[in-house]
Amino acid sequence: MEIVSVINYKGGVGKTTVTSNLAADLAWNGKKVLILDMDAQASLTFSFVTPDYWDKKLKDTKTIKSWFDCISQGNQTMPLSDLKVRPDVVNSFLNRHTQKGCIDLISSHLGLINVDLELATLLGGASPTQTQQKYLKVHGKLREELKALSEEMDYDIVLIDCPPNFNIVTKNALIASDKILIPAKPDYLSTLGIDYLKKSVESLINDFNWYASKDEVYSEVNPEFMGVVFTMIQITSGQPIAAQRQYISQTKRLGVPVFESLFRENKTIFADAPRNGMPVVLNSYSSNTHSDIVSEIEGFVKEFNIKLGI
């Protein structure tokens, strides 16, 4: 089971679009996919289930917030498998056409933004040993739970949609991950934090591994950057506009891998998809432009699979 975190410090860069379409095309090709929404905005959650369904069925007991609340209250965490749901619209479509792949969801909660403060209070310790144990427990718990999930369920891949910050919730996701994917819009603000994000992740891993090396329960971690996938691309004459090409080239010079595949901008079809519960990549379009977008997403997923080795 491969675990991939999807993250950018900057919001509004198409992170949800990338994650939902990646999950959908992987499932179309027979993969069993779990998506874990850890962004308090819950955009990924509402791309697959309606707000009304979330409010009635999930809000109180079946979100990732419920799981983090157990940690902050010092209680035994529930198995992650207890929190998953299988969104009906997209899975009914997949079942009719593939009968192999599926998408399960662990939804987010708008109150997740407050969880970080509660978790931070657990990190103080009276002795170095207590500090070490608390650090590992708070930051490494999701990794341990996902290990248990991999033994219980037969998922091929877990995609974690991270919040646009570097709080304890985000750190849990990164420490749990095998790979890290960075969606970015090729503009000044969206690319500004990529190098800083890379350095922050490296520092986090060094800190975690320092504590883990002194512990018998937790093992060291080594998530790798898959690369940056550029989104919201404006195409002219068959390539991104000059201003965007500049930021793509600039990012490549940072030494971070960059996907050749791109997500072009099209507000019409990408905005409609969440309301319908069906990612763009699973739809058929009569328009050549829209069909080209689907082909580009499929090309990205193929490149993703090669990088992941699946």
Side-chain angles (χ1 to χ4, degrees), residues 5-75:
S5 278
V6 187
I7 184 172
N8 191 318
Y9 276 146
K10 174 76 168 58
V13 297
K15 180 164 57 71
T16 297
T17 295
V18 170
T19 308
S20 61
N21 282 280
L22 174 57
D25 199 55
L26 287 168
W28 174 261
N29 287 292
K31 302 298 183 186
K32 295 181 178 179
V33 183
L34 173 67
I35 49 177
L36 174 48
D37 189 358
M38 292 175 65
D39 189 340
Q41 296 180 61
S43 298
L44 185 62
T45 295
F46 297 133
S47 296
F48 289 98
V49 300
T50 65
D52 185 58
Y53 177 86
W54 178 87
D55 190 62
K56 291 178 179 178
K57 301 288 187 179
L58 307 179
K59 179 178 70 173
D60 295 329
T61 59
K62 297 198 75 167
T63 73
I64 194 63
K65 179 181 180 295
S66 304
W67 184 84
F68 275 113
D69 284 344
C70 292
I71 299 175
S72 60
Q73 293 162 11
N75 299 328

Side-chain angles (χ1 to χ4, degrees), residues 38 53 94 101 118-119 133-134 152 159 190 193 208-209 236 252 286 293:
M38 292 175 65
Y53 177 86
L94 290 168
E118 297 166 3
L119 293 174
Q133 291 171 345
K134 289 181 178 181
E152 180 184 353
L159 300 175
S190 300
F208 184 86
N209 286 345
T236 180
K252 289 179 179 178
S286 55
I293 291 171

Side-chain angles (χ1 to χ4, degrees), residues 66-275:
S66 304
W67 184 84
F68 275 113
D69 284 344
C70 292
I71 299 175
S72 60
Q73 293 162 11
N75 299 328
Q76 181 69 32
T77 53
M78 64 195 75
L80 289 173
S81 56
D82 288 357
L83 301 174
K84 69 179 179 64
V85 295
R86 184 158 292 181
D88 183 60
V89 173
V90 67
N91 282 289
S92 294
F93 178 87
L94 290 168
N95 191 50
R96 287 196 305 272
H97 291 86
T98 72
Q99 298 181 343
K100 292 180 180 178
C102 67
I103 297 175
D104 285 347
L105 166 71
I106 296 178
S107 72
S108 186
H109 192 290
L110 305 179
L112 193 61
I113 197 167
N114 300 317
V115 165
D116 196 65
L117 294 174
E118 297 166 3
L119 293 174
T121 63
L122 300 178
L123 290 176
S127 69
T129 300
Q130 288 176 324
T131 300
Q132 170 195 330
Q133 291 171 345
K134 289 181 178 181
Y135 182 94
L136 291 170
K137 179 180 179 182
V138 170
H139 290 87
K141 190 62 176 174
L142 182 63
R143 181 171 180 247
E144 298 303 307
E145 292 284 349
L146 284 171
K147 268 189 193 175
L149 182 72
S150 69
E151 296 170 1
E152 180 184 353
M153 311 292 294
D154 58 347
Y155 291 116
D156 296 297
I157 189 163
V158 179
L159 300 175
I160 307 177
D161 188 10
C162 299
N165 53 44
F166 209 69
N167 61 17
I168 295 174
V169 170
T170 305
K171 291 175 181 178
N172 261 272
L174 294 170
I175 286 169
S177 297
D178 301 304
K179 306 286 185 183
I180 299 167
L181 175 65
I182 307 173
K185 183 179 178 182
D187 63 15
Y188 177 71
L189 290 177
S190 300
T191 56
L192 183 65
I194 291 175
D195 191 45
Y196 183 66
L197 171 62
K198 185 171 179 286
K199 291 174 180 175
S200 296
V201 171
E202 289 168 352
S203 177
L204 168 67
I205 300 313
N206 287 336
D207 288 346
F208 184 86
N209 286 345
W210 187 82
Y211 283 116
S213 67
K214 303 174 185 297
D215 188 88
E216 295 180 357
V217 176
Y218 291 87
S219 56
E220 296 183 17
V221 300
N222 185 33
E224 299 177 1
F225 281 93
M226 293 189 78
V228 177
V229 55
F230 282 105
T231 61
M232 302 181 181
I233 299 296
Q234 298 174 50
I235 300 292
T236 180
S237 301
Q239 62 179 336
I241 60 173
Q244 292 186 328
R245 293 202 305 272
Q246 171 191 341
Y247 287 108
I248 293 171
S249 298
Q250 180 179 307
T251 301
K252 289 179 179 178
R253 290 196 293 272
L254 293 174
V256 179
V258 174
F259 281 78
E260 293 299 322
S261 306
L262 304 166
F263 279 69
R264 75 170 69 187
E265 185 168 47
N266 189 299
K267 293 178 181 176
T268 304
I269 63 171
F270 284 125
D272 287 344
R275 285 197 292 268

